[in-house]
Amino acid sequence: MPQPDDSAHAVSQTIAQRIEALYGQPLAELEALADAPESTLLAALTGNHSALAFAERNIAFQLERLRELTSPDREIGQFDAGHILDCARRIAESVATRDAYAKSTGAVLGGLRRATAPDTQPPAPPVPAAPTAAASRTR
C-alpha cells in the first residue's frame, strides 16, 4: 500500500506518542519488548496500535483507489460500479475499525499513569544491633 501524507495517520501517531510517553521509550523499542511473556499490557497496547495504523493505511489506500475509479476523465463501466462500491465498503469498515481501536486504546491509556522511576541507590545494609549490657545479678 502506498504511504500517504502524515495527516492521514493522525490518530495512530497520537496513540503512539501516548504509549511512548507512558513507557518512556520509542515505540520501535517497546514493540521489541512486547514479545516478553510478562509484558501483556505492553503487547496489547502495541498490538492495538499496529491494528489502528493498518486501518489508517487501508483507509488512505482505498480512498486513493476510489479517487482513481471516479476520476472525471474516466468513464464508469459495468465492472467499475462494483469496484467503487467495494472501495466505499472497505473504507467504511476501516473507519469503524480505526475508531474502535482508537476509543478502546485511548480509554486504557487514559487510565494509566507513568510510574516514578525507582530509587537507584541501593538500600543501606542493616545496622547490627548494639550489644546490650548483661544484667548483673546481685544477691
Side-chain angles (χ1 to χ4, degrees):
M1 283 186 219
Q3 295 297 321
D5 62 87
D6 288 341
S7 64
H9 300 288
V11 176
S12 64
Q13 288 175 347
T14 300
I15 294 293
Q17 290 168 352
R18 291 177 66 190
I19 293 170
E20 290 172 343
L22 179 66
Y23 284 90
Q25 295 181 34
L27 192 61
E29 291 178 21
L30 294 173
E31 288 171 341
L33 292 173
D35 291 336
E38 66 275 358
S39 65
T40 55
L41 179 60
L42 179 58
L45 288 172
T46 57
N48 282 1
H49 174 264
S50 294
L52 176 64
F54 180 78
E56 286 182 332
R57 285 192 309 273
N58 194 46
I59 291 167
F61 175 79
Q62 294 299 331
L63 187 57
E64 183 62 32
R65 179 73 178 128
L66 186 60
R67 287 181 179 140
E68 289 172 6
L69 290 170
T70 59
S71 168
D73 58 332
R74 182 181 172 129
E75 185 176 321
I76 296 179
Q78 178 181 359
F79 297 106
D80 293 325
H83 292 299
I84 291 169
L85 182 61
D86 185 52
C87 282
R89 180 189 56 79
R90 289 176 189 226
I91 290 170
E93 289 173 355
S94 292
V95 166
T97 299
R98 177 200 62 197
D99 292 349
Y101 274 106
K103 183 177 180 179
S104 64
T105 306
V108 170
L109 288 170
L112 298 173
R113 300 290 176 261
R114 184 171 178 163
T116 57
D119 190 10
T120 57
Q121 294 179 343
V127 178
T132 57
S136 62
R137 293 187 183 194
T138 55
R139 289 192 175 179

